[in-house]
Amino acid sequence: VQLVESGGGVVRTGGSLKLSCVVSGSSFDRVDGIGWFRQAPSGARQGLACISLRDDEVKIYAQSVEGRFTISRRKNTIYLQMDNLKPEDSGDYRCAADLTMRPIRTKYNSLRVVEYDYWGQGTQVTVTS
């Protein structure tokens, strides 16, 4: 599975950005969910949002972004619409693929780094004050 992110940039506080994650590869049909993560300069990754690729398209959000970020899907592209951005939202944004079939998605099994099998290279987001 290959994942390629785009859409990052520099935006002022209160602004918006829309990130894209294109998913491809022979194992695409095995992908159960796609997550978006933010990586800090220290290397620590925080799970932000996840969308199930099954028919129910369940969406999971971290509390810190709920109401401001929206995850969506169109075919093999997963989007992260980010509104009302804050300086603390700055970081390297990466999407990742989860190949484990999860009949029930929760924050615990959908926003943890260890649950994901393939990762993109990231796109940088900078929010200025």
Side-chain angles (χ1 to χ4, degrees):
V1 177
Q2 291 82 47
L3 304 103
V4 179
E5 306 93 336
S6 63
V10 180
V11 64
R12 301 185 75 167
T13 296
S16 298
L17 280 175
K18 187 172 185 177
L19 306 183
S20 299
C21 171
V22 178
V23 186
S24 63
S26 58
S27 298
F28 177 75
D29 288 346
R30 294 174 52 205
V31 177
D32 191 82
I34 296 290
W36 277 100
F37 291 77
R38 179 172 59 234
Q39 182 165 316
S42 64
R45 294 180 184 177
Q46 177 190 6
L48 304 174
C50 169
I51 185 169
S52 164
L53 298 196
R54 290 179 274 108
D55 290 342
D56 57 7
E57 287 200 353
V58 171
K59 300 173 183 179
I60 303 289
Y61 295 96
Q63 187 173 357
S64 61
V65 304
E66 196 151 17
R68 298 190 299 125
F69 290 11
T70 304
I71 191 169
S72 62
R73 174 197 179 188
R74 184 174 184 273
K75 295 185 179 180
N76 65 325
T77 301
I78 287 73
Y79 302 98
L80 187 68
Q81 174 68 43
M82 306 187 295
D83 298 317
N84 191 21
L85 284 162
K86 307 174 182 179
E88 53 263 41
D89 293 320
S90 297
D92 183 36
Y93 281 67
R94 300 186 179 217
C95 58
D98 176 8
L99 271 61
T100 299
M101 186 178 294
R102 305 185 192 277
I104 299 175
R105 283 202 167 267
T106 66
K107 290 183 179 181
Y108 184 78
N109 67 18
S110 298
L111 298 180
R112 297 197 310 159
V113 170
V114 294
E115 307 294 350
Y116 287 81
D117 305 288
Y118 295 91
W119 292 81
Q121 293 300 305
T123 184
Q124 185 67 33
V125 171
T126 302
V127 184
T128 62
S129 55

